[in-house]
Amino acid sequence: MRTKQKRKSWFTPLIVPAITLPCLAYFAMQSQTGRYGLEAGQEMQGELAAKTKIYDDLVRSRKALEQRVKLLSDGTLERDMIDERARRSLNMSNEDEITILERWKS
């Protein structure tokens, strides 16, 4: 009976590390620079701060508009609000008055 003997190769133990090291390097790089990595997290924090400021401005503007609507729709209308609305709607003013046109922020 014949037996085949295999000689151990020095290359065989290096196969697993050769596959795992590039995978680990890829995941390490993605955790730093990827879409949800550390650098992207800092950018998202900056965007969040900017959007929060815009949101706060919109809330403040909405509260001011709600207050104006409340003054107009309440049973007790204020005289100056009625006068302001009438002048704005009719686009009229008295001869001795100075008209200052306001632009609405959009």
Side-chain angles (χ1 to χ4, degrees):
M1 181 156 132
R2 291 174 41 181
T3 60
K4 289 187 177 181
Q5 294 181 351
K6 288 189 176 180
R7 191 172 68 174
K8 289 191 174 184
S9 173
W10 61 272
F11 183 71
T12 305
L14 298 177
I15 292 175
V16 173
I19 293 172
T20 57
L21 283 177
C23 291
L24 288 175
Y26 171 78
F27 286 117
M29 186 181 73
Q30 288 298 317
S31 69
Q32 180 69 29
T33 61
R35 183 175 179 189
Y36 298 108
L38 297 175
E39 293 172 4
Q42 291 173 350
E43 289 177 19
M44 286 182 192
Q45 289 294 330
E47 284 183 33
L48 179 64
K51 302 272 183 184
T52 303
K53 184 183 179 307
I54 292 171
Y55 174 74
D56 292 340
D57 291 342
L58 288 173
V59 167
R60 230 178 292 117
S61 173
R62 180 177 176 171
K63 284 184 181 181
L65 288 173
E66 285 177 351
Q67 180 65 27
R68 288 179 61 98
V69 168
K70 184 179 177 186
L71 289 174
L72 286 173
S73 64
D74 197 9
T76 59
L77 290 175
E78 300 214 5
R79 189 176 190 93
D80 61 337
M81 291 291 288
I82 294 171
D83 187 46
E84 178 188 343
R85 280 293 176 196
R87 288 175 189 269
R88 188 179 298 257
S89 297
L90 298 174
N91 199 17
M92 297 178 70
S93 63
N94 292 335
E95 292 176 5
D96 61 343
E97 292 179 344
I98 298 173
T99 304
I100 300 173
L101 299 175
E102 244 182 82
R103 280 190 150 173
W104 289 95
K105 293 181 182 179
S106 45

